[in-house]
């Protein structure tokens, strides 16, 4: 049924129609722009271009800055300290600014408020060093400082550098050669990523205290440096100009180990380690670090407020992967290790959660709750059965509480504060049930559903007579109510939060038109959240139909990671189409024999095949139920509820049960024939292995459907041979098929 609807709807919508819909909805200005873009798309394209240009210019400036500092230091180190000046002066004639001026300008710019996102997470507070030299010292919480002797914790302040203040070279991190060409100031202050390398790190800080080219001592010690082969060796091989050395290190030859051995003997070069990704950063980006015991001061542990603000900001942007890393739960657990009582959700909701035995957050809940509670738009991707419904229901409840407690509680009509859209009736009912459980202790807050298959008038009466601040609806029925002017539109004008579950399906062509019409009736000032276990690229693009431009993308699966659960064993049988009806009973019986508490879902491609398969299995004395769109809603609801509660039952269904349905403890999912797409395969399979449990999935396809396996090649799908069928079973199946089709 779904595939029919999808096909029917997808065929009718052309690009130009889209642009007309867009331009009509956006209002004002020309209706289309070159390339069939609408006003918003056109604007966004230009904004993006401008941003890219600005970034490019900034990168160029940084590279220039790096090169200029290098020239200056090189000149000061190897020749007359003034030669840097001279070079600068000689260069001055070619450009409008002297290198110093240029550096100063750039430094000023990077130091400006608002440039914090150029800073590295490891950067520490700026403070005057206590050696009385007036040097600026910048503490670094982690790796960058490790290469530097604890006795010389001070590092350069670019403002000092540009104003010609002396500083110790050993502490400078002027030459960050990160991929993006950032110059690192004061131990990575401007270092963009951890794997970037500062050539300056490789100086022995103790030695360089005496050889620092910018130090007043430098002139006196220069000769000493030159006469000391070992020190010069260190400087040449590992210092500012030691790129060759880095390359050697990278290739890990015997020669290298010898050299490293020598280094090991040198004072201050003990325990050197390479870090950094040469793949990403090129051969120059290997960072050598030295483990040094540092006396951590209070100020290092508790840096001043401004840096804390930056850190806070950075930690907010931390990837979900990092969040997961920090968690106490095992890597394959669906839980994050954080408890709900650590979040800011209301005490009554907490009470309801603990009454249901729910204490810990799942990863998706942990990753999204704060973001959603902050009122930000988000697109969230998390594996099936990991608690996405609760991840959006909790913010929905908080939104309602906030709206009800705020001053604008006086409305002419009873307002609906949260609207949740989902693709199927059963899913809407399931989410509503979960919402009601969470609202158990909240008086006067109601959840209601608007789904097809029920009486329109009854819906309307229920909506008017019972509290409904959270509405869960399927798009078709919701539109019916909107278009029939049942008063719903005015109630939706107070909407604060709009949630789309199974967003990829609802934003796909089959549903998109309906969703757009619904969005047209919603206030623009709202928060929107999109959730799904699968978010293909196209959906990410069209998600902007619903989401604000600055929305967050929260992916708890991670790029390149398998989208299915490790604990779910997946296999595939390729067998002639006509043998499928024989094979399914055989496979079911095999599983039933091995699994006393079996609970099986058999997915079929259409309602008719579902019905036929159901009849066949029933005739074969298997305990079986059916759900598909041809069945009346009452039957669907009854069977769905029964299957939720039961064990030792087989559900034969079409794709109406593929998404979101939470049937606990399903032991096997059989997919007969190829699903409509890769995403649908993942969602169907996701009916088993929920809440971190194990399960089994079996895909049964005909030889001509083999091409589909290409779409699943990144999933751990094991081909298994076609089982030998008992001739008696074959005969029985043929007879039953004849009977059921008669
Ligand atoms: N923090 C939690 N602790 C324990 N159980 C939870 C928690 N969160 C959700 N659950 C339970 O996990 C089950 C699966 O949740 P849910 O149906 O929301 O998953 P989902 O991610 O939406 O799946 P799908 O992608 O199939 O829609 C439900 O029974 C739900 O009650």
């Amino acid at each position: 049924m779904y595939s029919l609807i999808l096909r029917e709807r997808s065929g009718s919508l052309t690009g130009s129609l889209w642009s007309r819909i867009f331009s009509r909805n956006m209002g004002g200005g020309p209706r289309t722009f070159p390339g069939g873009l609408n006003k918003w798309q056109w604007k966004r394209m230009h904004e993006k271009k401008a941003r890219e240009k600005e970034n490019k210019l900034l990168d160029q400036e940084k590279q220039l800055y790096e090169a200029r500092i290098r020239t200056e230091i090189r000149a000061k180190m190897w020749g007359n300290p003034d030669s840097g000046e001279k070079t600068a002066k000689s260069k001055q004639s070619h450009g409008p600014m002297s290198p110093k001026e240029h550096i100063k300008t750039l430094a000023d710019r990077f130091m400006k408020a608002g440039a914090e996102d150029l800073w590295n997470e490891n950067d520490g507070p700026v403070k005057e060093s206590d050696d009385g030299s007036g040097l600026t010292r910048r503490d670094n919480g982690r790796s960058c400082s490790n290469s530097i002797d604890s006795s010389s914790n001070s590092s350069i302040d670019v403002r000092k550098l540009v104003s010609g203040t002396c500083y110790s070279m050993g502490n400078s991190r002027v030459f960050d050669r990160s991929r993006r060409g950032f110059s690192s100031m004061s131990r990575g202050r401007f270092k963009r990523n951890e794997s970037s390398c500062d050539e300056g790190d490789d100086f022995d800080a103790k030695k360089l205290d005496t050889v620092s080219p910018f130090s007043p001592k430098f002139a006196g010690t220069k000769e000493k440096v030159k006469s000391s082969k070992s020190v010069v060796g260190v400087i040449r091989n590992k210092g500012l100009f030691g790129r060759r050395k880095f390359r050697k290190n990278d290739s890990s030859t015997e020669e290298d180990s010898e050299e490293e051995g020598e280094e090991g003997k040198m004072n201050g070069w003990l325990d050197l380690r390479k870090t950094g990704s040469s793949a990403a950063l090129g051969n120059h980006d290997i960072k050598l670090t030295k483990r040094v015991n540092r006396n951590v001061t209070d100020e290092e542990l508790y840096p001043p407020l401004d840096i804390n603000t930056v850190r806070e900001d950075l930690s907010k942007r931390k990837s979900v992967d990092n969040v997961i890393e920090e968690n106490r739960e095992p890597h394959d657990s669906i839980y994050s290790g954080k408890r709900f009582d650590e979040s800011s959700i209301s005490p009554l909701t907490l009470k309801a959660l603990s009454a249901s035995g729910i204490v810990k957050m799942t990863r998706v809940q942990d990753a999204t709750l704060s973001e959603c509670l902050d009122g930000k738009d988000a697109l969230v991707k998390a594996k099936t059965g990991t608690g996405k419904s609760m991840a959006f229901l909790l913010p929905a409840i908080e939104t309602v509480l906030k709206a009800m407690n705020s001053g604008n509680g006086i409305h002419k009509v009873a307002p609906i504060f949260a609207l949740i859209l989902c693709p199927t009736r059963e899913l809407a009912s399931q989410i509503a049930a979960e919402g009601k459980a969470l609202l158990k202790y909240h008086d006067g807050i109601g959840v209601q559903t608007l789904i097809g298959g029920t009486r329109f008038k009854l819906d309307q009466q229920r909506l008017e007579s019972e509290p409904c601040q959270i509405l869960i609806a399927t798009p078709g029925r919701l539109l019916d109510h909107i278009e029939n002017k049942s008063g719903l539109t005015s109630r939706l004008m107070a909407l604060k939060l709009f949630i789309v579950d199974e967003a990829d399906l609802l934003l796909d062509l089959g549903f998109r038109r309906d969703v757009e019409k619904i969005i047209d009736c919603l206030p623009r000032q709202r928060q929107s959240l999109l959730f799904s276990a699968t978010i293909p690229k196209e959906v990410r693009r069209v998600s902007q139909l619903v989401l604000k431009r600055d929305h967050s993308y929260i992916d708890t699966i991670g790029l390149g990671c398998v989208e299915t659960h490790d604990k779910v064993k997946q296999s595939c049988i390729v067998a002639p189409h006509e043998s499928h009806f024989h094979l399914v009973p055989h496979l079911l019986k095999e599983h039933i024999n091995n699994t006393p508490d079996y609970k099986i879902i058999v997915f079929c491609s259409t309602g008719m095949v579902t019905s036929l398969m159901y009849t066949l299995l029933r005739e074969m004395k298997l305990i079986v139920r059916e759900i598909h769109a041809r069945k009346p809603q009452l039957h669907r609801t009854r069977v769905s509820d029964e299957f939720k509660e039961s064990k030792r039952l087989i559900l034969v269904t079409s794709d109406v049960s593929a998404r979101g349905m939470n049937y606990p403890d399903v032991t096997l999912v059989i997919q007969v024939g190829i699903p409509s797409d890769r995403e649908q395969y993942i969602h169907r399979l996701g009916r088993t292995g929920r809440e971190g449990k194990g399960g089994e999935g079996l895909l049964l396809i005909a030889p001509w459907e083999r091409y589909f396996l290409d779409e699943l090649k990144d999933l751990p799908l094991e081909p298994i041979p076609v089982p030998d069928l008992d001739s008696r079973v074959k005969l029985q199946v043929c007879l039953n098929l004849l009977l059921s089709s008669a």
Side-chain angles (χ1 to χ4, degrees):
M1 179 67 176
Y2 268 127
S3 53
L4 277 177
I5 297 170
L6 293 180
R7 251 175 271 146
E8 187 192 305
R9 293 185 181 187
S10 60
S12 60
L13 216 59
T14 63
S16 63
L17 181 54
W18 273 120
S19 49
R20 259 181 281 142
I21 291 167
F22 267 122
S23 49
R24 192 188 62 218
N25 293 337
M26 301 307 165
R31 286 180 170 237
T32 53
F33 287 79
L37 299 180
N38 66 46
K39 192 166 117 183
W40 286 96
Q41 288 171 323
W42 184 251
K43 187 169 165 257
R44 275 179 206 142
M45 191 182 82
H46 279 278
E47 280 171 356
K48 194 176 162 209
K49 276 188 182 170
R51 260 199 319 274
E52 278 169 2
K53 201 171 163 188
E54 198 181 295
N55 285 343
K56 211 168 141 190
L57 281 172
L58 199 63
D59 269 357
Q60 279 171 0
E61 275 182 326
K62 280 171 202 154
Q63 275 163 20
L64 197 61
Y65 166 63
E66 179 191 55
R68 289 207 162 149
I69 293 189
R70 197 187 303 123
T71 312
E72 190 167 345
I73 293 170
R74 193 182 288 145
K76 287 195 178 188
M77 211 170 149
W78 299 111
N80 180 349
D82 292 330
S83 60
E85 282 292 345
K86 278 177 194 167
T87 320
K89 272 174 194 162
S90 63
K91 277 188 183 170
Q92 201 172 17
S93 58
H94 300 293
M97 246 189 231
S98 73
K100 271 192 178 179
E101 280 167 340
H102 195 108
I103 291 161
K104 188 172 184 324
T105 318
L106 285 168
D108 284 347
R109 183 164 168 191
F110 293 152
M111 292 294 182
K112 253 195 336 208
E116 289 85 350
D117 59 344
L118 300 173
W119 297 8
N120 187 278
E121 205 173 342
N122 295 326
D123 299 330
V126 182
K127 64 172 192 175
E128 291 301 304
S129 82
D130 37 30
D131 62 7
S133 62
L135 305 183
T136 300
R137 172 180 155 188
R138 212 175 293 279
D139 290 331
N140 186 344
R142 281 189 283 159
S143 59
C144 297
S145 59
N146 293 346
S147 61
I148 297 161
D149 193 290
S150 54
S151 66
S152 47
N153 271 340
S154 61
S155 61
I156 61 161
D157 177 350
V158 176
R159 285 169 294 201
K160 297 253 160 82
L161 162 73
V162 295
S163 60
T165 312
C166 301
Y167 59 92
S168 162
M169 182 62 131
N171 301 328
S172 73
R173 295 178 56 84
V174 180
F175 296 100
D176 184 317
R177 297 188 56 81
S178 75
R179 181 163 36 108
R180 309 201 30 148
F182 274 36
S183 291
S184 162
M185 300 181 191
S186 61
R187 297 193 203 160
R189 172 143 198 160
F190 299 129
K191 191 163 68 63
R192 195 66 170 229
N193 58 47
E194 295 255 324
S195 46
S196 62
C197 162
D198 292 353
E199 288 171 291
D201 283 354
D202 301 329
F203 278 89
D204 180 333
K206 277 179 186 163
K207 287 189 181 90
L208 287 168
D209 202 26
T210 58
V211 298
S212 168
F214 293 153
S215 156
K217 298 176 195 167
F218 178 74
T221 53
K222 204 168 58 187
E223 287 310 312
K224 223 184 337 179
V225 172
K226 278 183 181 170
S227 63
S228 161
K229 260 192 177 178
S230 62
V231 174
V232 172
V234 169
I235 293 169
R236 283 188 179 239
N237 287 334
K238 305 181 53 52
L240 287 172
F241 316 110
R243 274 182 239 158
R244 233 183 307 144
K245 172 67 185 171
F246 290 128
R247 281 200 199 103
K248 278 184 183 177
N249 274 347
D250 212 21
S251 59
S252 304
T253 57
E254 267 181 45
E255 197 187 338
D256 294 335
S257 40
E258 267 176 40
E259 278 181 359
E260 276 174 20
E262 272 179 35
E263 287 157 9
K265 289 171 210 156
M266 286 180 196
N267 180 27
W269 285 103
L270 289 165
D271 208 8
L272 279 165
R273 288 193 306 153
K274 284 189 294 182
T275 59
S277 153
S278 55
L281 303 169
N283 289 332
H284 309 299
D285 282 317
I286 304 300
K287 182 163 66 185
L288 296 177
T289 58
K290 182 173 69 112
R291 279 188 209 160
V292 177
N293 287 332
R294 295 183 66 212
N295 294 328
V296 183
T297 64
D298 274 358
E299 275 179 19
E300 282 172 293
L301 282 173
Y302 308 105
L305 190 67
D306 56 338
I307 297 300
N308 274 337
T309 318
V310 175
R311 284 202 173 135
E312 218 172 81
D313 191 37
L314 284 164
S315 68
K316 274 186 192 164
R317 293 180 215 166
K318 213 166 32 172
S319 74
V320 174
D321 275 358
N322 289 345
V323 174
I324 289 165
E325 279 298 306
E326 285 166 15
N327 291 324
R328 302 178 287 272
E329 290 286 327
H331 188 70
D332 58 349
S333 167
I334 64 161
Y335 296 99
S336 74
K338 203 169 163 191
R339 297 162 60 98
F340 280 106
D341 54 16
E342 293 171 48
S343 72
S344 58
I345 56 176
S346 74
L348 290 179
T349 315
L350 277 177
K351 195 175 163 190
L353 278 170
S354 56
S356 316
I358 294 174
V359 180
K360 288 188 291 182
M361 292 184 189
T362 63
R363 291 181 195 277
V364 62
Q365 290 157 357
D366 188 4
T368 53
L369 259 182
S370 59
E371 204 90 353
C372 298
L373 292 177
D374 280 354
K376 284 185 193 151
D377 280 13
L379 174 58
V380 182
K381 181 179 170 186
K383 286 186 186 179
T384 51
T386 55
K388 290 189 285 296
S389 313
M390 201 174 283
F392 59 70
L393 278 168
L394 290 172
I397 294 170
E398 292 309 309
T399 304
V400 172
L401 291 174
K402 203 168 146 194
M404 286 172 80
N405 292 335
S406 73
N408 17 333
I410 309 137
H411 297 272
K412 280 186 194 151
V413 287
I416 291 169
F417 293 121
L419 171 65
I420 301 169
L421 268 195
C422 59
T424 64
R425 301 164 184 184
E426 286 79 12
L427 181 55
S429 306
Q430 180 182 294
I431 297 170
E434 199 166 342
K436 279 175 188 159
L438 291 173
L439 286 169
K440 194 173 170 184
Y441 299 103
H442 290 279
D443 289 335
I445 304 180
V447 184
Q448 289 203 35
T449 54
L450 277 186
I451 54 176
T454 57
R455 282 176 54 197
F456 191 92
K457 276 277 167 211
L458 280 181
D459 282 348
Q460 221 169 351
Q461 280 169 12
R462 192 168 34 89
L463 271 180
E464 280 160 18
S465 59
E466 291 169 27
C468 175
Q469 290 83 2
I470 301 175
L471 180 64
I472 303 165
T474 50
R477 180 52 69 97
L478 179 64
L479 263 185
D480 285 349
H481 278 266
I482 288 171
E483 284 166 359
N484 275 293
K485 301 194 170 38
S486 63
L488 192 66
T489 320
S490 51
R491 291 184 72 176
L492 285 173
M493 286 326 288
L495 195 85
K496 302 275 182 243
L497 178 59
F498 177 50
I499 295 161
V500 185
D501 192 17
E502 308 300 339
D504 58 329
L505 181 60
L506 289 186
L507 292 179
D508 197 22
L509 288 179
F511 281 104
R512 203 187 297 165
R513 236 186 325 184
D514 286 353
V515 174
E516 277 197 319
K517 283 185 195 164
I518 292 166
I519 291 170
D520 280 350
C521 303
L522 306 181
R524 278 176 184 241
Q525 285 295 326
R526 57 157 205 271
Q527 182 189 5
S528 305
L529 305 172
L530 304 187
F531 282 77
S532 185
T534 50
I535 300 178
K537 268 194 200 123
E538 314 85 74
V539 174
R540 276 210 71 180
R541 254 186 292 121
V542 296
S543 66
Q544 306 225 353
L545 278 174
V546 185
L547 301 171
K548 291 190 199 87
R549 247 182 66 196
D550 61 348
H551 68 267
S552 324
Y553 177 53
I554 300 167
D555 178 0
T556 59
I557 300 175
L559 203 68
C561 295
V562 183
E563 288 166 296
T564 53
H565 291 283
D566 296 345
K567 288 182 185 166
V568 177
K569 188 176 160 243
Q570 300 173 53
S571 34
C572 170
I573 298 177
V574 183
H577 206 250
E578 60 277 12
S579 68
H580 288 187
F581 278 102
H582 301 119
L583 277 169
V584 172
H586 173 86
L587 293 165
L588 287 173
K589 281 185 177 167
E590 210 175 57
H591 183 80
I592 290 168
N593 288 339
N594 296 329
T595 321
D597 279 340
Y598 70 90
K599 190 163 173 178
I600 306 168
I601 303 183
V602 180
F603 281 104
C604 300
S605 42
T606 64
M608 211 151 84
V609 178
T610 307
S611 193
L612 189 61
M613 183 67 82
Y614 162 75
T615 319
L616 171 73
L617 297 177
R618 193 191 56 197
E619 295 304 318
M620 295 192 74
K621 308 286 180 267
L622 289 164
I623 312 164
V624 64
R625 303 284 181 271
E626 65 175 329
I627 291 186
H628 50 86
R630 292 163 158 234
K631 285 283 170 194
Q633 189 52 43
L634 223 74
H635 169 93
R636 282 169 60 170
T637 311
R638 190 172 44 76
V639 170
S640 175
D641 291 346
E642 185 192 357
F643 194 65
K644 267 193 185 151
E645 305 295 320
S646 315
K647 283 201 165 142
R648 292 179 286 282
L649 193 59
I650 301 165
L651 177 70
V652 186
T653 178
S654 65
D655 273 341
V656 291
S657 310
R659 287 192 174 242
M661 289 313 296
N662 182 47
Y663 296 120
D665 305 316
V666 170
T667 52
L668 172 68
V669 167
I670 300 183
Q671 307 191 33
V672 186
I674 52 167
S676 53
D677 51 28
R678 173 197 157 82
E679 283 73 37
Q680 202 68 346
Y681 170 83
I682 292 170
H683 285 275
R684 281 169 159 194
L685 182 78
R687 296 318 98 203
T688 184
R690 298 179 75 76
E691 299 175 52
K693 292 178 186 155
E696 222 179 298
L698 201 143
L699 177 65
L700 180 58
I701 56 171
W704 66 269
E705 292 172 321
R706 231 186 255 268
Y707 73 93
F708 182 72
L709 294 178
D710 264 4
E711 291 197 34
L712 310 178
K713 60 177 177 244
D714 60 318
L715 302 180
L717 204 70
E718 256 181 57
I720 55 171
V722 184
D724 284 334
L725 291 180
D726 192 339
S727 54
R728 272 184 312 150
V729 175
K730 273 189 185 175
L731 194 67
Q732 200 185 354
V733 169
C734 287
L735 276 173
N736 285 325
L737 274 175
L738 277 173
L739 283 174
S740 44
S741 55

